[in-house]
Amino acid sequence: RRASPFPHPHFPVHVASWCCLREARMRKANEGKNFRASIQSHVKLKHFSKALYCAAKIGSSNLMIETGKDSCTFSSLNHAQSACVKMVFQKHFFRSMSPGKVKCKVNLKLVLLALRSLNSVKECILKIDGAKNEFKIKLTGYSGITKEFRISFEEQDEIPQAEVPKKQMSMISSRSRIFQSKVLDNF
């Protein structure tokens, strides 16, 4: 007979306590992996959603999120791993930001579904809960109606990047207005 990890097979109490213990260990390991940011300006929220739509056109269906002390980075890699889009939003872009060190992968189509109609939205709160492995998008409208989207994510040790030789690497860096009028409006 195979040895069971539980003392006796007829006592389901041990199974439940073992599962709770495992869940508690996972929560403790992910305790410091939380992030919260708030976007309150309608113009900034529009720029944020357009940037994610641009990531969807260039990249695949996955959105990589990497948060740090002073910034939040969103990136996407295409299926052939030949093109990568990476957007870094600094701390001053957000109204408030509580930093946390998180690297995760989210389904980009679900994020875009949450951000598709922003005409009556006055505030957007982005929250990453490492204990529950959830990326939450909370939208508050001018009328007081609140929508909350909970998207599960996969934790990543390292964010994959496109393998491009340094001589062939292209980089665009500009102010947000110029970027919007010259790049985003043409997609």
Side-chain angles (χ1 to χ4, degrees):
R1 288 179 65 172
R2 284 186 0 183
S4 174
F6 310 112
H8 196 274
H10 299 291
F11 296 113
V13 175
H14 295 291
V15 174
S17 63
W18 182 78
C19 291
C20 291
L21 181 66
R22 184 173 157 234
E23 195 173 293
R25 282 185 196 149
M26 286 177 62
R27 280 196 186 123
K28 190 173 182 182
N30 291 330
E31 214 169 70
K33 299 184 178 183
N34 294 328
F35 171 79
R36 186 181 187 279
S38 172
I39 304 171
Q40 207 164 26
S41 167
H42 185 69
V43 175
K44 286 184 179 181
L45 188 56
K46 198 185 238 185
H47 287 297
F48 178 73
S49 67
K50 281 188 176 186
L52 292 182
Y53 274 104
C54 181
K57 292 191 182 233
I58 294 172
S60 67
S61 62
N62 292 325
L63 179 69
M64 312 304 176
I65 304 172
E66 184 175 4
T67 63
K69 185 178 179 182
D70 295 329
S71 64
C72 183
T73 304
F74 296 89
S75 61
S76 184
L77 186 67
N78 71 345
H79 291 292
Q81 295 188 349
S82 60
C84 176
V85 62
K86 185 175 186 180
M87 294 149 296
V88 180
F89 293 96
Q90 299 295 330
K91 189 174 186 175
H92 59 82
F93 178 81
F94 302 103
R95 181 176 179 258
S96 65
M97 181 173 140
S98 61
K101 194 78 171 156
V102 180
K103 291 181 182 178
C104 61
K105 178 171 69 172
V106 191
N107 188 333
L108 180 57
K109 293 183 184 203
L110 294 176
V111 174
L112 294 177
L113 181 70
L115 298 174
R116 72 177 167 185
S117 60
L118 300 173
N119 293 335
S120 62
V121 175
K122 75 172 182 182
E123 183 181 25
C124 174
I125 297 174
L126 307 171
K127 186 176 180 183
I128 296 176
D129 190 352
K132 295 180 181 176
N133 283 359
E134 280 185 341
F135 176 59
K136 297 178 187 176
I137 301 173
K138 185 176 179 181
L139 303 172
T140 305
Y142 290 107
S143 61
I145 297 174
T146 302
K147 290 183 186 178
E148 188 172 290
F149 298 88
R150 296 171 187 230
I151 304 166
S152 62
F153 66 80
E154 290 180 36
E155 195 170 337
Q156 299 286 308
D157 293 331
E158 192 171 315
I159 302 294
Q161 299 293 329
E163 297 294 327
V164 180
K166 291 207 177 210
K167 291 181 181 178
Q168 297 176 356
M169 193 166 160
S170 300
M171 186 172 156
I172 300 173
S173 179
S174 70
R175 292 184 168 193
S176 60
R177 284 187 187 171
I178 296 170
F179 189 71
Q180 179 193 5
S181 64
K182 302 296 181 193
V183 178
L184 292 181
D185 288 345
N186 293 320
F187 273 101

